[in-house]
Amino acid sequence: VSVFISLILYAFALHIHGIIAIRIIHGLTYVVLGTAVMAAVVASVPANQSGRAFGVIGIITILPFAVLPPLLKPLTSRFSFVSILICFGLLLFLGTFLVFFLEKPDKVSDSEKEKAKINFFVENEEILKKIPPVAIPITKKRNKGQSGGIQ
């Protein structure tokens, strides 16, 4: 809802200070919303499906950056930028009501989570063996007059 409000408020920002304030609210809302969605995904998606879920969320997150810029040029030739912001804000606001139609996921037990973790390592054992160990640089003891850094 606050993203919707931010989009509507852009229409009333007359000075740079107003735009900066709205931009801060809009940015903070975007970050909080993204964190909340990720927390909901972690809580509701089985461990063995989390990669797929994060992939879908990633695509959903970047899709507007791919779709909207090409649409903006023809839209701004027919409508004002403010009316476009209000229209997208209203669409976003109406879309939030879809949340009420979602099913509540079944609770995954701790034993099922542990089983999924074990299955991941068993299924990917060959891939995991190919990952080289991490090398940690170790510094030698310095004598007086030597500069710091890795020797």
PDB file of all heavy atoms in Angstrom, residues 2 16 21 26-27 29 36-37 44 47 49-50 57 59 71-72 104-105 109 118 128 133 148:
ATOM      1  N   SER A   2       1.995   1.218   0.746  1.00  0.00           N
ATOM      2  CA  SER A   2       2.832   2.420   0.799  1.00  0.00           C
ATOM      3  C   SER A   2       3.546   2.674  -0.523  1.00  0.00           C
ATOM      4  O   SER A   2       3.839   3.828  -0.841  1.00  0.00           O
ATOM      5  CB  SER A   2       3.822   2.341   1.950  1.00  0.00           C
ATOM      6  OG  SER A   2       4.587   1.187   1.853  1.00  0.00           O
ATOM      7  N   ILE A  16      12.143  19.847  -5.345  1.00  0.00           N
ATOM      8  CA  ILE A  16      13.134  18.783  -5.195  1.00  0.00           C
ATOM      9  C   ILE A  16      13.076  18.142  -3.811  1.00  0.00           C
ATOM     10  O   ILE A  16      13.264  16.935  -3.668  1.00  0.00           O
ATOM     11  CB  ILE A  16      14.565  19.281  -5.521  1.00  0.00           C
ATOM     12  CG1 ILE A  16      15.565  18.124  -5.587  1.00  0.00           C
ATOM     13  CG2 ILE A  16      15.030  20.292  -4.498  1.00  0.00           C
ATOM     14  CD1 ILE A  16      15.384  17.232  -6.756  1.00  0.00           C
ATOM     15  N   ALA A  21      11.994  13.362  -0.473  1.00  0.00           N
ATOM     16  CA  ALA A  21      11.264  12.718   0.635  1.00  0.00           C
ATOM     17  C   ALA A  21      10.459  11.514   0.135  1.00  0.00           C
ATOM     18  O   ALA A  21      10.496  10.435   0.740  1.00  0.00           O
ATOM     19  CB  ALA A  21      10.347  13.732   1.312  1.00  0.00           C
ATOM     20  N   HIS A  26       9.664   5.701  -0.790  1.00  0.00           N
ATOM     21  CA  HIS A  26       9.486   4.673  -1.813  1.00  0.00           C
ATOM     22  C   HIS A  26      10.610   3.632  -1.731  1.00  0.00           C
ATOM     23  O   HIS A  26      10.357   2.422  -1.782  1.00  0.00           O
ATOM     24  CB  HIS A  26       9.454   5.349  -3.182  1.00  0.00           C
ATOM     25  CG  HIS A  26       9.008   4.466  -4.295  1.00  0.00           C
ATOM     26  ND1 HIS A  26       9.016   4.883  -5.592  1.00  0.00           N
ATOM     27  CD2 HIS A  26       8.543   3.197  -4.327  1.00  0.00           C
ATOM     28  CE1 HIS A  26       8.570   3.923  -6.373  1.00  0.00           C
ATOM     29  NE2 HIS A  26       8.284   2.883  -5.626  1.00  0.00           N
ATOM     30  N   GLY A  27      11.840   4.087  -1.597  1.00  0.00           N
ATOM     31  CA  GLY A  27      12.984   3.169  -1.514  1.00  0.00           C
ATOM     32  C   GLY A  27      12.945   2.304  -0.271  1.00  0.00           C
ATOM     33  O   GLY A  27      13.179   1.083  -0.336  1.00  0.00           O
ATOM     34  N   THR A  29      10.321   1.511   1.471  1.00  0.00           N
ATOM     35  CA  THR A  29       9.199   0.590   1.317  1.00  0.00           C
ATOM     36  C   THR A  29       9.583  -0.587   0.436  1.00  0.00           C
ATOM     37  O   THR A  29       9.256  -1.738   0.730  1.00  0.00           O
ATOM     38  CB  THR A  29       7.987   1.331   0.716  1.00  0.00           C
ATOM     39  OG1 THR A  29       7.665   2.414   1.567  1.00  0.00           O
ATOM     40  CG2 THR A  29       6.801   0.425   0.569  1.00  0.00           C
ATOM     41  N   ALA A  36      10.356  -8.706   3.487  1.00  0.00           N
ATOM     42  CA  ALA A  36       9.174  -9.434   3.961  1.00  0.00           C
ATOM     43  C   ALA A  36       8.827 -10.589   3.033  1.00  0.00           C
ATOM     44  O   ALA A  36       8.494 -11.688   3.490  1.00  0.00           O
ATOM     45  CB  ALA A  36       7.993  -8.483   4.084  1.00  0.00           C
ATOM     46  N   VAL A  37       8.925 -10.365   1.728  1.00  0.00           N
ATOM     47  CA  VAL A  37       8.629 -11.437   0.769  1.00  0.00           C
ATOM     48  C   VAL A  37       9.634 -12.570   0.924  1.00  0.00           C
ATOM     49  O   VAL A  37       9.263 -13.754   0.933  1.00  0.00           O
ATOM     50  CB  VAL A  37       8.622 -10.885  -0.679  1.00  0.00           C
ATOM     51  CG1 VAL A  37       8.643 -12.010  -1.696  1.00  0.00           C
ATOM     52  CG2 VAL A  37       7.424  -9.988  -0.893  1.00  0.00           C
ATOM     53  N   SER A  44       7.769 -20.589   4.111  1.00  0.00           N
ATOM     54  CA  SER A  44       6.710 -21.409   3.532  1.00  0.00           C
ATOM     55  C   SER A  44       7.135 -22.372   2.432  1.00  0.00           C
ATOM     56  O   SER A  44       6.387 -23.277   2.106  1.00  0.00           O
ATOM     57  CB  SER A  44       5.599 -20.503   2.991  1.00  0.00           C
ATOM     58  OG  SER A  44       6.103 -19.680   1.968  1.00  0.00           O
ATOM     59  N   ALA A  47      12.608 -26.723   1.808  1.00  0.00           N
ATOM     60  CA  ALA A  47      14.033 -26.440   1.606  1.00  0.00           C
ATOM     61  C   ALA A  47      14.526 -26.902   0.240  1.00  0.00           C
ATOM     62  O   ALA A  47      15.348 -26.245  -0.378  1.00  0.00           O
ATOM     63  CB  ALA A  47      14.856 -27.089   2.710  1.00  0.00           C
ATOM     64  N   GLN A  49      12.999 -26.826  -2.486  1.00  0.00           N
ATOM     65  CA  GLN A  49      12.422 -26.009  -3.555  1.00  0.00           C
ATOM     66  C   GLN A  49      12.800 -24.531  -3.419  1.00  0.00           C
ATOM     67  O   GLN A  49      12.334 -23.705  -4.198  1.00  0.00           O
ATOM     68  CB  GLN A  49      10.898 -26.138  -3.541  1.00  0.00           C
ATOM     69  CG  GLN A  49      10.396 -27.528  -3.840  1.00  0.00           C
ATOM     70  CD  GLN A  49      10.685 -27.924  -5.280  1.00  0.00           C
ATOM     71  OE1 GLN A  49      10.498 -27.136  -6.190  1.00  0.00           O
ATOM     72  NE2 GLN A  49      11.149 -29.142  -5.467  1.00  0.00           N
ATOM     73  N   SER A  50      13.637 -24.192  -2.436  1.00  0.00           N
ATOM     74  CA  SER A  50      13.929 -22.782  -2.181  1.00  0.00           C
ATOM     75  C   SER A  50      14.670 -22.122  -3.341  1.00  0.00           C
ATOM     76  O   SER A  50      14.413 -20.958  -3.647  1.00  0.00           O
ATOM     77  CB  SER A  50      14.723 -22.621  -0.889  1.00  0.00           C
ATOM     78  OG  SER A  50      15.964 -23.265  -0.991  1.00  0.00           O
ATOM     79  N   ILE A  57      11.131 -15.353  -7.691  1.00  0.00           N
ATOM     80  CA  ILE A  57      11.048 -14.023  -7.081  1.00  0.00           C
ATOM     81  C   ILE A  57      12.022 -13.067  -7.755  1.00  0.00           C
ATOM     82  O   ILE A  57      11.697 -11.900  -7.989  1.00  0.00           O
ATOM     83  CB  ILE A  57      11.303 -14.099  -5.561  1.00  0.00           C
ATOM     84  CG1 ILE A  57      10.120 -14.789  -4.894  1.00  0.00           C
ATOM     85  CG2 ILE A  57      11.504 -12.714  -4.963  1.00  0.00           C
ATOM     86  CD1 ILE A  57      10.334 -15.099  -3.448  1.00  0.00           C
ATOM     87  N   ILE A  59      13.038 -13.142 -10.870  1.00  0.00           N
ATOM     88  CA  ILE A  59      12.474 -12.772 -12.174  1.00  0.00           C
ATOM     89  C   ILE A  59      11.339 -11.773 -11.999  1.00  0.00           C
ATOM     90  O   ILE A  59      11.251 -10.779 -12.727  1.00  0.00           O
ATOM     91  CB  ILE A  59      11.995 -14.028 -12.926  1.00  0.00           C
ATOM     92  CG1 ILE A  59      13.212 -14.850 -13.365  1.00  0.00           C
ATOM     93  CG2 ILE A  59      11.140 -13.651 -14.141  1.00  0.00           C
ATOM     94  CD1 ILE A  59      12.871 -16.208 -13.908  1.00  0.00           C
ATOM     95  N   LEU A  71       7.781   0.422 -22.885  1.00  0.00           N
ATOM     96  CA  LEU A  71       6.385   0.862 -22.914  1.00  0.00           C
ATOM     97  C   LEU A  71       6.229   2.339 -22.565  1.00  0.00           C
ATOM     98  O   LEU A  71       5.239   2.973 -22.947  1.00  0.00           O
ATOM     99  CB  LEU A  71       5.557   0.045 -21.917  1.00  0.00           C
ATOM    100  CG  LEU A  71       5.346  -1.427 -22.228  1.00  0.00           C
ATOM    101  CD1 LEU A  71       4.575  -2.097 -21.107  1.00  0.00           C
ATOM    102  CD2 LEU A  71       4.617  -1.592 -23.548  1.00  0.00           C
ATOM    103  N   LEU A  72       7.190   2.884 -21.845  1.00  0.00           N
ATOM    104  CA  LEU A  72       7.060   4.254 -21.341  1.00  0.00           C
ATOM    105  C   LEU A  72       7.050   5.292 -22.464  1.00  0.00           C
ATOM    106  O   LEU A  72       6.284   6.258 -22.405  1.00  0.00           O
ATOM    107  CB  LEU A  72       8.186   4.546 -20.347  1.00  0.00           C
ATOM    108  CG  LEU A  72       7.916   5.624 -19.331  1.00  0.00           C
ATOM    109  CD1 LEU A  72       6.620   5.365 -18.587  1.00  0.00           C
ATOM    110  CD2 LEU A  72       9.059   5.722 -18.354  1.00  0.00           C
ATOM    111  N   LYS A 104      -2.835 -20.807   2.580  1.00  0.00           N
ATOM    112  CA  LYS A 104      -1.792 -20.845   3.598  1.00  0.00           C
ATOM    113  C   LYS A 104      -1.036 -22.163   3.433  1.00  0.00           C
ATOM    114  O   LYS A 104      -1.643 -23.224   3.397  1.00  0.00           O
ATOM    115  CB  LYS A 104      -2.399 -20.744   4.996  1.00  0.00           C
ATOM    116  CG  LYS A 104      -1.372 -20.587   6.069  1.00  0.00           C
ATOM    117  CD  LYS A 104      -1.996 -20.318   7.414  1.00  0.00           C
ATOM    118  CE  LYS A 104      -0.878 -20.143   8.427  1.00  0.00           C
ATOM    119  NZ  LYS A 104      -1.403 -19.869   9.753  1.00  0.00           N
ATOM    120  N   PRO A 105       0.291 -22.102   3.313  1.00  0.00           N
ATOM    121  CA  PRO A 105       1.059 -23.335   3.101  1.00  0.00           C
ATOM    122  C   PRO A 105       1.064 -24.218   4.346  1.00  0.00           C
ATOM    123  O   PRO A 105       0.916 -23.744   5.471  1.00  0.00           O
ATOM    124  CB  PRO A 105       2.465 -22.834   2.778  1.00  0.00           C
ATOM    125  CG  PRO A 105       2.529 -21.487   3.383  1.00  0.00           C
ATOM    126  CD  PRO A 105       1.133 -20.926   3.359  1.00  0.00           C
ATOM    127  N   SER A 109       7.752 -29.776   8.872  1.00  0.00           N
ATOM    128  CA  SER A 109       8.352 -30.175  10.149  1.00  0.00           C
ATOM    129  C   SER A 109       9.872 -30.077  10.071  1.00  0.00           C
ATOM    130  O   SER A 109      10.465 -30.080   8.993  1.00  0.00           O
ATOM    131  CB  SER A 109       7.935 -31.601  10.511  1.00  0.00           C
ATOM    132  OG  SER A 109       8.529 -32.516   9.620  1.00  0.00           O
ATOM    133  N   ILE A 118      19.737 -33.215   3.795  1.00  0.00           N
ATOM    134  CA  ILE A 118      20.536 -34.420   3.555  1.00  0.00           C
ATOM    135  C   ILE A 118      20.388 -34.850   2.102  1.00  0.00           C
ATOM    136  O   ILE A 118      21.380 -35.182   1.444  1.00  0.00           O
ATOM    137  CB  ILE A 118      20.116 -35.551   4.527  1.00  0.00           C
ATOM    138  CG1 ILE A 118      20.530 -35.180   5.946  1.00  0.00           C
ATOM    139  CG2 ILE A 118      20.730 -36.888   4.116  1.00  0.00           C
ATOM    140  CD1 ILE A 118      19.953 -36.085   7.019  1.00  0.00           C
ATOM    141  N   LEU A 128      29.668 -31.170  -5.247  1.00  0.00           N
ATOM    142  CA  LEU A 128      30.296 -30.623  -4.053  1.00  0.00           C
ATOM    143  C   LEU A 128      31.753 -31.062  -3.919  1.00  0.00           C
ATOM    144  O   LEU A 128      32.583 -30.321  -3.401  1.00  0.00           O
ATOM    145  CB  LEU A 128      29.500 -31.012  -2.807  1.00  0.00           C
ATOM    146  CG  LEU A 128      28.098 -30.405  -2.722  1.00  0.00           C
ATOM    147  CD1 LEU A 128      27.316 -31.026  -1.573  1.00  0.00           C
ATOM    148  CD2 LEU A 128      28.160 -28.904  -2.572  1.00  0.00           C
ATOM    149  N   PRO A 133      38.926 -26.398  -1.969  1.00  0.00           N
ATOM    150  CA  PRO A 133      38.935 -25.792  -0.629  1.00  0.00           C
ATOM    151  C   PRO A 133      39.370 -24.328  -0.717  1.00  0.00           C
ATOM    152  O   PRO A 133      40.100 -23.942  -1.615  1.00  0.00           O
ATOM    153  CB  PRO A 133      39.950 -26.631   0.149  1.00  0.00           C
ATOM    154  CG  PRO A 133      40.778 -27.294  -0.898  1.00  0.00           C
ATOM    155  CD  PRO A 133      39.927 -27.431  -2.122  1.00  0.00           C
ATOM    156  N   GLY A 148      53.952  -3.782   6.289  1.00  0.00           N
ATOM    157  CA  GLY A 148      52.892  -4.752   6.520  1.00  0.00           C
ATOM    158  C   GLY A 148      52.479  -5.441   5.238  1.00  0.00           C
ATOM    159  O   GLY A 148      53.080  -5.286   4.177  1.00  0.00           O
TER     160      GLY A 148
END
